[in-house]
Amino acid sequence: MTWADGRTLTSADVARVGASLAATDAELARRYPGDPGTRQPVHTVYVPADTAGPGTPREWGDRALAALDAHAPDAAAFGGLLGLPAGLAAEVHDRVRAKLRREPVEDLRIDFEDGYGPRPDAEEDAAARTAARTVAEMAGREGAPPWAGIRMKCLEAAVRERGIRTLDVFLTALLDAGGLPDGLVVTLPKVTFAAQVAAMAELCGQFERAAGLPQGRIRFEVQIETTQAVLGPDGTATVSRLVDAAAGRLTALHYGTFDYSAACGVGPSHQAPDHPAADYAKAVMQVAAAGTGVRLSDGSTNVLPVGSTQDVHAAWRLHYGLVRRSLARAYHQGWDMHPAHLPTRYAAVYAFCREDLDAAAARLAAYAGRRAGGGAVLDEPATARALCGHLLRGLDCGALDPAEVASRTGLTRGEIDALAGR
């Protein structure tokens, strides 16, 4: 039978299909909510707990500026060693220096793990309370990192109780100092099994109930530093299980360059973010996190920009290349281990954003129908969201200015946010 409007299927037929897929719809919505639509830091700076304080970000910025003054005092010198064209070099150099004066660190992690090591309980308790005061004092201060928190010890048996105790002391002291700040971040390292992530999620819930906090207020990151966290003995991509075990509390997956490389048998001189073993792990992480709202961070290089100008330049070229490589592979965040890494971190991010500004803006303008011609590329909604994401990341970190994006796209920041799904 054919209906007057040209259909054969009845409304009841369609309803039955919908009913059969209701559970699937709910599962898709739960597991794949999409990108959170918020700013993501371009890096994380790790500082041992016994050396971190409220002045640490400013100290890192000053040391980064001093490194530029000493080893690349002008745009020509800085751009020349990084291979940037003169016009782009001037733009990047000026913006990097402005960033180092304004907001040198985007994400600060006060480290109680490898960077701190084993200490007497009283000493680590005191350091955890000091870390809480540091985070509380920086929260909302002009020029302070928008994100800050701690990396606790892992949940392996040998250090489990100490890790939980440090987290407890830190969070309790934060509440005593006025509450948990919006940019609070907790990092759980050396995860091997999903049960450890589930235990961390339950631990956060227990603290929330005891402290009278809203459910889900405390979220955390996981570091991928073991092979078992990437691939199980049956070939399962176990990193997906970690995401699920967090029960909605997981914010990011961070690749741990050196622990993971060592676990794969990679020799010390070859342990780097661009090793094939690293690429494999990060590709699995990327697919597992896609659509879940969990973000990704690359690891670090241990080659520090110190010593002679020749040594600093070699380390800067290496770091710049590694950051650019990560960005091209959609890892928009990484670790920085030394103040002198900041100039090349921001140079790589800024050059990456600015090189594509005109092309990305033109494609987005054509997609939005604000200009005639439409261009030579026919973009779909998913690509339009990616174009928006590229421009928004540049705006968030200071690589791009609102006025130049608006003039090129014909779109306001609010309109770009909407197209991006923010």
Side-chain angles (χ1 to χ4, degrees), residues 66-130:
L68 274 176
D69 290 340
H71 303 293
D74 54 40
F78 194 47
L81 76 93
L82 299 180
L84 298 176
L88 181 61
E91 294 177 344
V92 168
H93 176 265
D94 291 349
R95 287 172 183 273
V96 167
R97 292 192 68 92
K99 177 72 170 182
L100 294 174
R101 290 190 293 267
R102 182 183 72 254
E103 187 186 69
V105 174
E106 290 198 355
D107 185 19
L108 174 66
R109 201 70 72 254
I110 301 172
D111 191 14
F112 286 89
E113 205 231 355
D114 286 346
Y116 184 72
R119 307 289 179 99
D121 281 340
E123 182 177 347
E124 186 157 339
D125 287 348
R129 287 189 287 269
T130 298

Side-chain angles (χ1 to χ4, degrees), residues 403-415:
E404 62 183 346
V405 172
S407 67
R408 286 167 170 80
T409 62
L411 300 168
T412 67
R413 172 64 188 261
E415 290 171 323

Side-chain angles (χ1 to χ4, degrees), residues 51-353:
T51 63
T56 294
R58 183 64 270 150
E59 177 191 347
W60 273 56
D62 290 342
R63 290 175 63 186
L65 286 165
L68 274 176
D69 290 340
H71 303 293
D74 54 40
F78 194 47
L81 76 93
L82 299 180
L84 298 176
L88 181 61
E91 294 177 344
V92 168
H93 176 265
D94 291 349
R95 287 172 183 273
V96 167
R97 292 192 68 92
K99 177 72 170 182
L100 294 174
R101 290 190 293 267
R102 182 183 72 254
E103 187 186 69
V105 174
E106 290 198 355
D107 185 19
L108 174 66
R109 201 70 72 254
I110 301 172
D111 191 14
F112 286 89
E113 205 231 355
D114 286 346
Y116 184 72
R119 307 289 179 99
D121 281 340
E123 182 177 347
E124 186 157 339
D125 287 348
R129 287 189 287 269
T130 298
R133 288 194 294 272
T134 293
V135 171
E137 186 173 333
M138 290 190 304
R141 178 195 290 183
E142 185 176 356
W147 295 270
I150 65 168
R151 176 168 71 165
M152 59 188 279
K153 290 177 170 65
C154 70
L155 293 182
E156 293 177 352
V159 294
R160 182 182 300 142
E161 290 188 10
R162 181 62 259 183
I164 294 172
R165 178 167 168 166
T166 296
L167 178 64
D168 186 4
V169 171
F170 171 73
L171 292 175
T172 301
L174 264 183
L175 290 177
D176 292 342
L180 305 185
D182 291 339
L184 175 66
V185 188
V186 174
T187 305
L188 176 66
K190 291 182 173 61
V191 169
T192 306
F193 294 108
Q196 294 166 325
V197 176
M200 181 67 175
E202 176 58 27
L203 188 66
C204 293
Q206 290 172 350
F207 188 93
E208 289 164 352
R209 290 188 291 273
L213 295 171
Q215 182 180 358
R217 173 63 184 87
I218 303 171
R219 305 180 72 194
F220 59 93
E221 304 170 332
V222 160
Q223 284 192 263
I224 304 299
E225 301 175 272
T226 69
T227 57
Q228 295 90 343
V230 174
L231 204 67
D234 60 352
T236 300
T238 43
V239 66
S240 296
R241 294 177 178 173
L242 307 186
V243 174
D244 194 50
R249 293 183 183 270
L250 189 62
T251 59
L253 296 169
H254 287 232
Y255 175 69
T257 303
F258 305 105
D259 284 88
Y260 188 88
S261 297
C264 289
V266 179
S269 62
H270 298 286
Q271 294 177 358
D274 59 351
H275 190 279
D279 284 341
Y280 174 78
K282 288 183 287 187
V284 176
M285 290 166 59
Q286 190 171 52
V287 175
T292 66
V294 175
R295 285 171 164 166
L296 301 170
S297 176
D298 205 344
S300 60
T301 174
N302 58 1
V303 179
L304 304 184
V306 297
S308 68
T309 293
Q310 182 179 358
D311 291 337
V312 171
H313 283 190
W316 271 349
R317 281 191 289 267
L318 173 66
H319 185 239
Y320 178 86
L322 289 171
V323 176
R324 286 295 303 256
R325 186 178 190 274
S326 293
L327 292 169
R329 286 158 174 75
Y331 269 73
H332 302 292
Q333 183 177 349
W335 298 10
D336 288 323
M337 299 181 68
H338 190 276
H341 278 142
L342 299 186
T344 39
R345 167 68 61 182
Y346 291 122
V349 173
Y350 287 10
F352 185 80
C353 291

